[in-house]
């Protein structure tokens, strides 16, 4: 018995030793099965941190053979007990796989703040004669609710409240929920298993056409997609996305037959400021576009990331920004891309504080359109105002310090292009960014607005290069 215990201890010690020898010390390491950055070693003394818990998370995330152990545990539970033990997915009925079932509680105060944020964006766009469209996508649990796990009763109360508030606030929106529910009765618009939380290419095809139809109200030259615009095939997949969980499924794949007409300028915009968690962008030019087609700024989530093929050939320029925390900096991207149309796409299950920060939404402060001050007395000033600037690819960042303390709003104007200057770290600092391929600095004037005196002061500017702008 003693020998057995010694052997047991030796075996366990060897297993622990091997795991420690294979410990993952790589900084900023990404887990392919969790689709997230693994915990880094915690710094002692950091505020609001349970240090013991942080160390435990670090070890749990980075212990050797973690991925293999999770895969084995998941596989055994599936084969022995028919259960899916996975941080992301869960089984439904008839082989369907869904994201983990959400808690249906929703925060009314947060939802109302989100609606007010949409109102702010829509007003910003409308004042600049730019159409704004909010595009709402349904969750798979909404479209295929009949296949949800036994015992889970999904009511859709949060979605119903959101739609009610969108209507009350008169937001210009497209909701593809009913369309996809109807299509799901005869076609597979979400895969049964693969990419369990997002629609497939067929679902994206139908939903995008609904948005293109809405865009036709403003740009009649836009055409909806047809099946003939794509090479349609299937792909055999053997594991779930962001997982090694084995499956066996054929999924629909659409390939844009006009993709050769699309040029990507993404690398020229690598200096764009993006939230560290949401860094997906595209800047695409349609070389065959006619002049009546729009330049569109898309804020989009994972439903449309990677599915540019359904939009790129229907418009002149497709400028897409990964959604969520990035859209809270909305005017920054509007200034740079100067769009003809703005579309804000998001999925039903992302409309919550985990994706859009409540406090930031409440504190957004956009400049009114310069046209709002057309009746103010215009003062042509002779003093030249120095503007610091730094170029990085197609992006120019600018800063104006200590010369506009009494201004309520500030703008840069070059021809028909107007860029909002926003207050920076202090009341005497204004910052902005623009695309230097369309904004001609030689023709620039600075416009300062003083509401109390109702004066609009116009200044010539001098551009001063600098190496560093915070």
């Amino acid at each position: 018995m003693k020998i057995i215990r010694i052997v047991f201890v030796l075996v366990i010690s060897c297993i622990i030793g091997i795991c420690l020898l294979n410990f993952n010390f790589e900084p900023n390491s990404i887990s392919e099965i969790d689709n997230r950055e693994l915990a880094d070693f915690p710094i002692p003394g950091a505020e609001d941190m349970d240090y013991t818990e942080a160390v435990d998370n670090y070890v749990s995330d980075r212990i050797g053979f973690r991925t293999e152990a999770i895969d084995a545990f998941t596989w055994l539970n599936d084969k022995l007990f028919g259960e899916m033990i996975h941080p992301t997915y869960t089984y439904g009925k008839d082989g369907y796989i869904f994201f983990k079932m959400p808690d249906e509680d929703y925060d009314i105060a947060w939802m109302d703040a989100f609606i007010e944020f949409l109102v702010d964006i829509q007003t910003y766009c409308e004042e600049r004669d730019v159409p704004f469209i909010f595009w709402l996508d349904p969750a798979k649990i909404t479209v295929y609710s009949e296949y949800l796990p036994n015992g889970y009763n999904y009511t859709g109360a949060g979605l119903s409240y959101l739609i009610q508030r969108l209507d009350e606030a008169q937001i210009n929106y497209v909701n593809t929920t009913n369309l996809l529910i109807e299509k799901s009765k005869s076609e597979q618009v979400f895969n049964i298993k693969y990419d369990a939380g997002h629609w497939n290419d067929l679902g994206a095809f139908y939903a995008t056409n609904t948005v293109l139809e809405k865009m036709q109200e403003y740009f009649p030259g836009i055409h909806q997609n047809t099946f003939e615009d794509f090479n349609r095939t299937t792909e055999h997949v053997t594991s779930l996305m962001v997982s090694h969980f084995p499956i066996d499924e054929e999924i629909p794949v659409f390939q844009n037959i006009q993709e050769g007409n699309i040029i990507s300028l993404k690398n020229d915009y690598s200096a764009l400021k993006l939230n560290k968690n949401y860094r997906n962008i595209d800047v695409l030019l349609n070389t065959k576009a006619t002049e009546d087609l729009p330049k569109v700024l898309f804020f989009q989530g994972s439903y449309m990331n990677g599915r540019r093929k359904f939009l790129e050939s229907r418009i002149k320029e497709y400028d897409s920004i990964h959604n969520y925390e990035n859209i809270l900096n909305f005017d920054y991207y509007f200034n740079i891309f100067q769009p003809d149309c703005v579309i804000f796409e998001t999925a039903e299950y992302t409309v919550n504080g985990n994706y859009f920060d409540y406090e930031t939404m409440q504190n957004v402060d956009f400049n009114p359109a310069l046209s709002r001050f057309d009746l103010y007395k215009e003062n042509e000033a002779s003093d030249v105002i120095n503007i610091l600037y730094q170029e990085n690819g197609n992006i120019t960042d600018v800063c104006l310090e200590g010369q506009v303390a009494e201004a309520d709003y500030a703008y840069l104007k070059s021809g028909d292009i107007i860029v909002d200057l926003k207050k920076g770290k202090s009341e005497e600092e204004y910052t902005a960014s623009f695309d230097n391929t369309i904004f001609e600095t030689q023709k620039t004037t600075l416009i300062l607005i003083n509401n109390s005196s109702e004066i609009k002061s116009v200044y010539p500017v001098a551009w001063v290069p600098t190496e560093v702008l915070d």
Side-chain angles (χ1 to χ4, degrees):
M1 181 64 70
K2 185 176 180 181
I3 294 176
I4 293 175
R5 288 176 180 172
I6 292 174
V7 171
F8 177 77
V9 170
L10 287 174
V11 169
I12 295 300
S13 298
C14 287
I15 292 173
I16 294 173
I18 291 171
C19 290
L20 291 176
L21 286 173
N22 287 273
F23 199 88
N24 179 5
F25 292 100
E26 182 184 350
N28 304 317
S29 182
I30 303 296
S31 167
E32 64 180 27
I33 65 169
D34 298 297
N35 194 28
R36 64 175 175 85
E37 186 174 315
L38 297 178
D40 286 322
F41 191 80
I43 300 172
E47 293 183 6
D48 301 324
M49 179 202 295
D50 183 329
Y51 190 71
T52 303
E53 181 182 355
V55 171
D56 181 64
N57 291 336
Y58 174 73
V59 174
S60 298
D61 270 7
R62 293 174 174 271
I63 192 73
F65 303 106
R66 173 182 180 270
T67 297
E68 290 78 4
I70 291 174
D71 286 346
F73 181 72
T74 303
W75 183 84
L76 285 170
N77 273 278
D78 179 49
K79 297 303 179 185
L80 295 177
F81 309 110
E83 294 183 3
M84 180 177 285
I85 308 299
H86 194 277
T88 304
Y89 303 113
T90 189
Y91 271 132
K93 299 172 185 173
D94 297 343
Y96 271 77
I97 294 176
F98 297 89
F99 277 170
K100 286 288 189 182
M101 294 296 103
D103 183 347
E104 279 213 77
D105 290 341
Y106 59 95
D107 186 334
I108 291 180
W110 183 94
M111 196 80 79
D112 290 345
F114 181 74
I115 293 296
E116 288 305 311
F117 178 64
L118 291 180
V119 170
D120 289 340
I121 294 178
Q122 182 165 288
T123 300
Y124 185 98
C125 293
E126 288 177 345
E127 285 190 344
R128 291 157 176 81
D129 296 322
V130 172
F132 169 75
I133 301 170
F134 177 63
W135 175 4
L136 178 62
D137 305 320
K140 184 178 180 180
I141 61 174
T142 299
V143 176
Y144 288 99
S145 59
E146 66 270 32
Y147 297 104
L148 294 178
N150 287 324
Y152 183 79
N153 181 29
Y154 177 68
T155 66
L159 177 61
S160 297
Y161 183 75
L162 173 62
I163 293 171
Q164 172 191 330
R165 294 292 288 111
L166 289 170
D167 290 332
E168 290 173 351
Q170 298 183 332
I171 298 298
N172 189 32
Y173 75 98
V174 169
N175 176 15
T176 57
T177 301
N178 291 337
L179 165 75
L180 292 177
I181 289 175
E182 186 61 32
K183 291 292 184 183
S184 73
K185 296 175 182 178
S186 57
E187 300 176 80
Q188 200 69 46
V189 291
F190 287 69
N191 299 319
I192 295 175
K193 300 179 187 296
Y194 185 74
D195 198 5
H198 307 99
W199 54 32
N200 59 25
D201 273 5
L202 182 61
F205 170 86
Y206 286 127
T208 305
N209 267 357
T210 302
V211 175
L212 290 171
E213 181 180 20
K214 183 68 173 180
M215 294 171 67
Q216 285 177 320
E217 297 177 13
Y218 311 100
F219 308 99
I222 287 178
H223 298 291
Q224 295 183 50
N225 291 312
T226 66
F227 286 135
E228 288 69 33
D229 293 318
F230 301 90
N231 289 323
R232 298 163 60 206
T233 58
T234 60
E235 178 185 351
H236 183 237
V237 291
T238 57
S239 67
L240 292 175
M241 291 187 70
V242 198
S243 171
H244 297 157
F245 189 86
I247 61 173
D248 183 11
E249 187 173 19
E250 295 289 327
I251 63 171
V253 176
F254 286 49
Q255 181 184 16
N256 179 14
I257 63 174
Q258 301 175 55
E259 65 181 2
N261 300 328
I262 309 301
I263 297 175
S264 174
L265 301 179
K266 177 179 177 178
N267 291 339
D268 296 327
Y269 294 85
S270 60
L272 275 174
K273 298 172 185 176
L274 298 163
N275 181 278
K276 67 178 182 178
N277 296 316
Y278 308 108
R279 303 194 59 82
N280 194 312
I281 69 163
D282 265 319
V283 181
L284 305 172
L285 296 182
N286 179 3
T287 60
K288 297 298 183 180
T290 55
E291 284 303 311
D292 60 331
L293 294 181
K295 176 181 181 179
V296 183
L297 175 58
F298 282 89
F299 291 90
Q300 61 188 45
S302 52
Y303 270 53
M304 289 306 296
N305 285 340
R307 288 196 162 95
R308 50 183 259 190
K309 55 196 170 190
F310 297 108
L311 294 163
E312 61 190 4
S313 297
R314 296 291 159 255
I315 55 181
K316 184 193 305 181
E317 184 171 334
Y318 173 56
D319 303 319
S320 69
I321 305 296
H322 203 162
N323 207 346
Y324 315 132
E325 296 296 317
N326 286 319
I327 198 173
L328 304 181
N329 201 15
F330 171 78
D331 47 352
Y332 166 78
Y333 301 105
F334 191 99
N335 278 340
I336 290 171
F337 291 107
Q338 297 288 317
D340 301 317
C341 179
V342 173
I343 296 180
F344 174 3
E345 177 270 333
T346 199
E348 167 192 348
Y349 60 80
T350 67
V351 184
N352 59 64
N354 294 325
Y355 291 88
F356 303 94
D357 181 69
Y358 176 74
E359 184 175 349
T360 306
M361 287 193 303
Q362 284 195 308
N363 293 324
V364 293
D365 184 21
F366 300 141
N367 278 16
L370 181 58
S371 59
R372 191 186 293 186
F373 310 107
D374 283 349
L375 298 180
Y376 279 20
K377 179 182 178 181
E378 185 167 309
N379 176 31
E380 292 282 350
S382 58
D383 296 341
V384 177
I385 303 295
N386 291 328
I387 297 180
L388 300 176
Y389 76 94
Q390 180 185 37
E391 289 188 359
N392 193 335
N394 286 4
I395 306 296
T396 296
D397 299 319
V398 302
C399 182
L400 179 62
E401 295 179 324
Q403 305 170 78
V404 291
E406 296 182 0
D408 293 300
Y409 301 104
Y411 304 83
L412 294 175
K413 188 173 188 298
S414 177
D416 294 330
I417 297 178
I418 298 169
V419 171
D420 300 345
L421 283 158
K422 298 294 294 292
K423 287 186 178 179
K425 297 177 180 178
S426 72
E427 290 293 313
E428 296 184 359
E429 178 186 83
Y430 281 80
T431 62
S433 298
F434 56 76
D435 185 338
N436 54 51
T437 66
I438 61 175
F439 189 92
E440 297 183 50
T441 54
Q442 297 86 352
K443 300 179 180 179
T444 303
T445 56
L446 170 67
I447 302 173
L448 304 180
I449 303 299
N450 188 301
N451 284 327
S452 61
S453 61
E454 296 191 355
I455 290 177
K456 177 170 57 178
S457 299
V458 183
Y459 292 84
V461 303
W463 297 92
V464 181
T466 184
E467 293 185 0
V468 178
L469 281 179
D470 292 334

